[in-house]
Amino acid sequence: MASEMWSEKYRKIGFNQIIGNESARKAFYNWIKNWREGDKAVLLVGQAGTGKNTTIYAVAQELGYRVIELNASDTRTKEKLTKKLGSSLYTISLLGEKRLVLFDEVDGIYGRDDYGGTEYINELLEKPPVPIVLTANDENNENVIKLERKTIKISFQKVPLRMIIMYLKHIVELENKKVDSKLLGEVARKSRGDVRAAINLLQSMIDAPNTIKSIDVLKDAVVSKQDALMALVNEENPEMAYEKISKVDFNSRDKLYLLFYSILASDLDKSKRITALRAIADIDIFETRIESTQEWRMLRWFDRIVVNKFYNRSFKQRIRYHEEEPLWELKIKYWTELRLFKSIKEKVNQRYHISNSEFVLYYLPCLISLAKKDREKTLHYLQYLGFNDNFISLIDKRAKT
Amino acid sequence: MIEIVEGEWFRLPHLGTDNFKTLMSLGLKYDKAKGMLIDSETNKNLLITFLTQVLKDDVQIYKKCAICEARIDCRTCEYSSDCDFLKASENCLCSKCLEREESYAYYIMNSETF
């Protein structure tokens, strides 16, 4: 059976057991302890792994609050938010249970300006009936800056590396493992102040001693992007390709971009390009899910999946290293289509109360498939619904291909 | 040399209204009786630059050991190249306390008092 993730296991700790950000934690504790109906909401800002959510849950536990958590980047429309929160905002439970509403990662919801979600949160912030806590990773996000006026901002900073080492030592002792203290130092260095990342890396090292054996391997991140890509496309042995791509010191998202731009710039015929881009799309879905669920430990499979998707494929040897952004003509094409989608976004949101992603994922393919079956009726129907000519001709073009 | 310890109140010579406003805009906390305090909202990088210019003297910000409360000079720390200490939270550990057995237990004991 797979062992529990340590970053989750050691998240369920008491308020005083959290490391770093002492004054920020104290400020949050005092805010919730003295909270009265109508008091301003609080906005906790800080990069991932600085202890925002751990603090919220620990304080809630200590002061007897039940946390109603809404991940803002998943639940975005007013309808969905209302449904999820239900009447719990305005009623006191039979058992007299205190409630706290947590909008996690509000930079997500505010960045997407989906129908009604933003206004709904803004209404709640006017006169909160229960303590409302918002969290955000990016303090420079324009919308987070706007939120600062309506909330009390508490900043969570990176945790100093020595403090992370102290905590890793403690975990190693609890897990009854033996790890060299220099190695703990290297793990802390890699984490750059992100406690969760440090714990995940520590566990990966202990769980998978064959992939990361020692401090030297951690330091051995000198394979260039070009070498890694060449290994991926030329190397016959998948293990060797994995060796190289896993030693490039840049993150999974950058690896995806590198592959994407290289595929776009390579001389592939249409069907091979489609297959290659589909492979990228699959990897992208995996990576995005890790980001949205914050199951960072799954990232240890990322390089394996990349190698697997490209191993033994006929197109791979035609891929050429290209790190720049796509060619101008291609950019123009994407930009024009994106603009078109944006222009219909509001109409779709307002009229049908669905989010952008729902429209693109479910409705758009249906429209194209309907147009394939009965072109005239579908286009006529789209006209009747009020979509503009550009959009209709795009659907028509897609249906023909 | 102006020495400031994070988490401890400090006083500066009178710098005039405009400079005081700038200091406040950099996120310093002010209390008439206690003086000034760096907290999590303070932009420490800009604060050092500003004070160095205004006071025409070197400014050094120290962290405090969360266990023994000793001053820590981050410039001499072996992790300074990766720690981004001006953006890290106020307390750290001195090298002696880091080496201590049960350092985490001591940290928790001290945290209970804050």
Side-chain angles (χ1 to χ4, degrees):
Chain A
M1 202 178 88
S3 60
E4 189 182 357
M5 277 181 72
W6 290 354
S7 55
E8 284 306 309
K9 185 175 173 183
Y10 294 104
R11 203 177 181 181
K12 301 156 201 156
I13 52 178
F15 176 64
N16 282 322
Q17 293 167 304
I18 302 167
I19 57 165
N21 287 295
E22 292 81 2
S23 61
R25 284 191 281 131
K26 188 182 174 186
F28 177 71
Y29 184 91
N30 288 338
W31 170 80
I32 194 162
K33 202 174 175 195
N34 300 317
W35 187 88
R36 298 283 174 273
E37 195 173 328
D39 277 1
K40 268 188 170 180
V42 81
L43 171 66
L44 306 187
V45 187
Q47 70 166 50
T50 49
K52 301 184 296 290
N53 287 29
T54 308
T55 301
I56 294 165
Y57 277 93
V59 174
Q61 168 83 13
E62 197 160 319
L63 299 177
Y65 279 91
R66 184 163 77 89
V67 179
I68 302 164
E69 181 175 340
L70 293 151
N71 189 315
S73 37
D74 294 335
T75 317
R76 296 166 297 171
T77 63
K78 180 173 183 174
E79 194 186 339
K80 280 187 180 170
L81 286 170
T82 316
K83 199 174 163 190
K84 201 153 184 184
L85 278 177
S87 54
S88 61
L89 280 176
Y90 299 97
T91 53
I92 301 164
S93 79
L94 284 173
L95 301 168
E97 182 187 54
K98 294 189 282 184
R99 287 153 181 170
L100 177 157
V101 174
L102 164 62
F103 286 104
D104 200 14
E105 294 176 14
V106 285
D107 14 15
I109 187 170
Y110 279 83
R112 292 166 193 230
D113 60 78
D114 276 316
Y115 188 68
T118 312
E119 292 96 289
Y120 181 73
I121 297 180
N122 282 337
E123 277 169 31
L124 273 182
L125 293 181
E126 290 300 321
K127 199 173 181 256
V130 292
I132 294 179
V133 184
L134 302 107
T135 68
N137 292 326
D138 180 10
E139 68 172 337
N140 297 317
N141 179 301
E142 191 188 326
N143 295 303
V144 171
I145 294 168
K146 278 184 203 162
L147 267 176
E148 284 177 24
R149 277 182 245 133
K150 299 176 179 171
T151 54
I152 298 164
K153 183 187 164 201
I154 299 175
S155 296
F156 275 65
Q157 297 173 300
K158 291 177 180 181
V159 177
L161 297 195
R162 280 182 178 172
M163 213 167 251
I164 293 182
I165 295 168
M166 168 193 76
Y167 195 53
L168 294 180
K169 258 166 65 182
H170 169 68
I171 290 177
V172 165
E173 273 169 29
L174 288 182
E175 294 293 329
N176 216 4
K177 308 278 182 192
K178 279 196 174 148
V179 179
D180 185 75
S181 62
K182 276 188 184 169
L183 193 54
L184 294 182
E186 281 309 312
V187 172
R189 278 184 201 279
K190 282 265 166 193
S191 74
R192 293 190 174 268
D194 178 340
V195 182
R196 185 166 48 225
I199 298 173
N200 285 340
L201 183 55
L202 177 71
Q203 187 177 15
S204 302
M205 287 173 53
I206 291 172
D207 277 359
N210 293 330
T211 49
I212 304 173
K213 286 175 190 153
S214 70
I215 189 168
D216 300 327
V217 178
L218 270 175
K219 282 180 175 168
D220 185 15
V222 289
V223 177
S224 73
K225 293 175 191 179
Q226 186 163 6
D227 285 351
L229 187 87
M230 287 301 107
L232 182 69
V233 297
N234 294 327
E235 191 57 69
E236 288 305 316
N237 180 349
E239 271 308 305
M240 292 298 285
Y242 168 73
E243 262 306 282
K244 285 222 164 152
I245 200 153
S246 63
K247 283 183 184 170
V248 183
D249 194 18
F250 63 115
N251 65 38
S252 49
R253 177 73 19 204
D254 290 340
K255 286 178 187 173
L256 262 175
Y257 278 125
L258 171 65
L259 281 167
F260 180 62
Y261 294 148
S262 298
I263 287 167
L264 289 186
S266 300
D267 179 25
L268 293 169
D269 65 37
K270 195 176 171 187
S271 70
K272 281 177 180 164
R273 193 188 296 275
I274 290 172
T275 318
L277 289 173
R278 283 214 171 118
I280 295 273
D282 287 343
I283 304 166
D284 184 38
I285 290 171
F286 175 72
E287 206 267 354
T288 309
R289 283 192 183 151
I290 291 174
E291 272 184 26
S292 63
T293 56
Q294 301 200 342
E295 295 271 357
W296 306 113
R297 203 166 155 246
M298 295 298 287
L299 276 177
R300 71 192 196 280
W301 302 112
F302 179 86
D303 294 327
R304 291 264 176 217
I305 288 173
V306 171
V307 173
N308 178 272
K309 284 281 172 193
F310 284 83
Y311 175 62
N312 221 4
R313 306 297 288 263
S314 58
F315 58 78
K316 72 171 194 170
Q317 283 178 345
R318 300 190 72 90
I319 299 176
R320 297 285 168 264
Y321 172 75
H322 191 90
E323 210 190 320
E324 304 290 311
E325 289 197 1
L327 304 169
W328 182 243
E329 307 89 78
L330 273 170
K331 272 175 91 171
I332 288 281
K333 194 178 162 218
Y334 295 141
W335 185 71
T336 316
E337 288 198 357
L338 194 71
R339 241 183 65 188
L340 200 54
F341 281 126
K342 276 188 178 167
S343 71
I344 60 154
K345 181 180 81 176
E346 272 180 28
K347 187 175 299 221
V348 172
N349 283 342
Q350 283 172 11
R351 189 178 286 186
Y352 304 107
H353 300 275
I354 54 171
S355 69
N356 304 334
S357 53
E358 271 178 305
F359 178 71
V360 173
L361 277 174
Y362 306 114
Y363 292 78
L364 195 60
C366 279
L367 288 173
I368 294 169
S369 135
L370 281 173
K372 269 183 187 169
K373 281 187 182 157
D374 193 337
R375 179 176 171 269
E376 248 172 57
K377 263 189 191 167
T378 310
L379 299 186
H380 182 71
Y381 179 60
L382 288 173
Q383 250 167 0
Y384 168 76
L385 291 176
F387 287 112
N388 65 28
D389 291 343
N390 287 340
F391 180 70
I392 294 170
S393 69
L394 178 76
I395 295 283
D396 192 22
K397 214 168 111 189
R398 290 279 170 93
K400 281 178 188 163
T401 56
Chain B
M1 162 88 84
I2 311 289
E3 297 184 331
I4 301 171
V5 182
E6 287 189 49
E8 281 184 9
W9 294 91
F10 64 97
R11 288 190 181 278
L12 292 171
H14 185 72
L15 296 170
T17 313
D18 287 343
N19 287 333
F20 180 78
K21 278 183 192 167
T22 308
L23 285 172
M24 293 301 102
S25 72
L26 294 176
L28 270 184
K29 247 186 181 174
Y30 176 70
D31 182 291
K32 209 171 179 181
K34 297 177 191 166
M36 290 176 180
L37 181 78
I38 290 178
D39 77 355
S40 58
E41 298 300 315
T42 312
N43 186 330
K44 289 173 252 182
N45 255 320
L46 284 181
L47 179 70
I48 291 177
T49 314
F50 178 71
L51 285 180
T52 308
Q53 280 175 6
V54 174
L55 298 169
K56 295 186 174 47
D57 199 353
D58 288 338
V59 176
Q60 175 62 31
I61 296 179
Y62 296 92
K63 290 202 184 295
K64 205 157 71 171
C65 176
I67 296 175
C68 70
E69 299 193 1
R71 279 185 183 193
I72 302 165
D73 183 353
C74 293
R75 294 171 305 176
T76 61
C77 173
E78 67 272 40
Y79 300 104
S80 62
S81 56
D82 297 293
C83 191
D84 203 359
F85 51 86
L86 288 174
K87 287 184 179 167
S89 65
E90 65 269 35
N91 292 329
C92 189
L93 293 187
C94 66
S95 48
K96 276 184 190 167
C97 288
L98 180 64
E99 295 304 318
R100 268 167 113 156
E101 293 278 315
E102 307 284 330
S103 52
Y104 180 63
Y106 285 109
Y107 173 73
I108 293 174
M109 271 195 307
N110 268 26
S111 320
E112 280 167 6
T113 59
F114 75 69

